[in-house]
Amino acid sequence: MRTFSKSSKLDNVCYDIRGPVMDEADRMIAEGTKILKLNIGNPAPFDFNAPDEVIKAMTDNLRNAQGYSASKGVVQAREAIFKYHRRKNVPVESINDIYTGNGVSELIVMVMQGLLDNGDEVLLPAPDYPLWTASVTLAGGKAVHYICDEGSDWYPDIKDMERKITDRTKAIVIINPNNPTGSVYPREVLEEIAELARKHELIIFSDEIYDRLLMDGVEHTSIASLAPDIFCVTFNGISKSHMSAGFRAGWMVLSGNKKGAEGYIEGLNMLSSMRLCSNVQAQYVISEALKGTGAPDAELKPGGRIYEQRECIYRLLNDIDGITAVKPKAAFYIFPRLDAAKFNITDDEQFVLDFLREKKILLVHGGGFHWEQPDHFRIVFLPSVHELEYSMGELKDFLSGYRQK
Ligand code: PLP
């Protein structure tokens, strides 16, 4: 009988997104087990709602959204995106340099499909948001991970980045603010990255989807604003800042020196046209969402949910013997370190699986973010303080007796 298996191009891709932990969680859920999910950055299930004006723009525009739009998106949305990034000093020239997408996700896949030939290399952070690595691999490229340094607030290790540049390297990806670490890179670090890109003639891809979820008065700088002489692609969207991940509204902005990138841009235009356009109804929400700063301010200040949940998880994790964690400055993720020697952990995925089976709480192991040592995991702190307290109590209890064989 003829059989159909997945394309071999997906061999090293699916594992990043799926894997035994998710399979086990699905199995347990199907059996009726209730699982507390600390694994996914989707605000809606945790009683975060999109602002009323965003919901209104979505529902009001149903009739306007019946046809395909221009493949890069409706003018109204791209004008709002243009103004937003100009306010952040990104030297975007016109709305022709802006593409809307069905979330940033679609555009991440698109930029790699359009750029890479087999064996081309892209520098990506470790830990990373795994879709970036998966997209490089799917496009036939080689993902090369540079280390982000936990001892320096998880900033990229510039020396490691430079060491890993070869004559096949085409681009550097940064995720700033970062998922999974919550780190926000200061100007000096961004300038050093830009300098590397300048010296080695690399494209910069900067994923800034969390740039409106900042805490403690930290400011966000777009690397593109520091690099008008470098070809940069900046990614953003409303999934997180407007708690509307299901609407699928994201975008990318090309800026800087386009000389030499004309062929690549032609390829991006082709790929953009091939998917016809992104969800038109959601495009109409973008201008409403980006009025003002677009930040959910109240949630990010003392007394606000994201802020208080961050304080809570940071304190509880550092209270557990054998765990340390750097305080995130943005987004809703924390990437704690486990004392692997103390717990004899040689397989971080097994640790997460054992914890899931025993305590019905779902985490993601560090390896899922291309962190090589078996000594980290990620927690999403979107659940309430009450749920975080409960889950950290369970983690403490679990670890008190846990040793891998
Ligand atoms: N980039 C990063 C760093 C993310 O964490 C996520 C989602 O978690 C995305 C992109 C995907 O965003 P979107 O919903 O716009 O596809």
Side-chain angles (χ1 to χ4, degrees), residues 75-122:
V75 168
Q76 181 207 50
R78 285 187 292 145
E79 276 175 349
I81 295 165
F82 180 83
K83 283 192 197 131
Y84 179 76
H85 288 276
R86 285 298 278 246
R87 279 204 300 275
K88 293 192 71 184
N89 300 318
V90 172
V92 48
E93 279 170 7
S94 88
I95 67 163
N96 285 333
D97 298 321
I98 295 170
Y99 304 65
T100 61
N102 292 303
V104 167
S105 306
E106 182 188 31
L107 300 169
I108 292 175
V109 176
M110 192 190 286
V111 292
M112 292 307 168
Q113 292 291 336
L115 181 68
L116 301 177
D117 282 319
N118 286 347
D120 284 343
E121 295 175 12
V122 176

Side-chain angles (χ1 to χ4, degrees), residues 76-92 95 98 176-177 208-214 219-222 225 234-238 241-242 251-253 286-296:
Q76 181 207 50
R78 285 187 292 145
E79 276 175 349
I81 295 165
F82 180 83
K83 283 192 197 131
Y84 179 76
H85 288 276
R86 285 298 278 246
R87 279 204 300 275
K88 293 192 71 184
N89 300 318
V90 172
V92 48
I95 67 163
I98 295 170
N176 174 39
E208 303 183 358
I209 193 164
Y210 298 102
D211 77 334
R212 291 176 294 284
L213 294 176
L214 306 171
E219 285 187 11
H220 180 264
T221 304
S222 281
S225 71
T234 306
F235 300 80
N236 212 316
I238 62 167
S241 60
H242 292 76
W251 59 86
M252 65 178 178
V253 174
I286 293 172
S287 56
E288 197 54 53
L290 290 183
K291 280 190 182 146
T293 64

Side-chain angles (χ1 to χ4, degrees), residues 153-225:
D153 274 333
W154 284 115
Y155 299 153
D157 178 337
I158 306 291
K159 289 209 169 67
D160 192 53
M161 214 180 232
E162 177 144 41
R163 258 196 306 276
K164 289 175 175 164
I165 295 174
T166 72
D167 53 9
R168 294 297 310 257
T169 311
K170 285 198 154 174
I172 300 177
V173 172
I174 65 169
I175 302 169
N176 174 39
N178 191 270
N179 173 9
T181 65
S183 175
V184 183
Y185 304 159
R187 202 184 167 94
E188 310 81 74
V189 169
L190 297 172
E191 263 159 4
E192 286 184 83
I193 297 170
E195 193 45 43
L196 277 189
R198 196 170 282 126
K199 185 165 147 201
H200 297 276
E201 298 187 301
L202 306 175
I203 297 175
I204 296 177
F205 293 112
S206 184
D207 182 341
E208 303 183 358
I209 193 164
Y210 298 102
D211 77 334
R212 291 176 294 284
L213 294 176
L214 306 171
M215 288 173 273
D216 310 331
V218 167
E219 285 187 11
H220 180 264
T221 304
S222 281
I223 192 165
S225 71

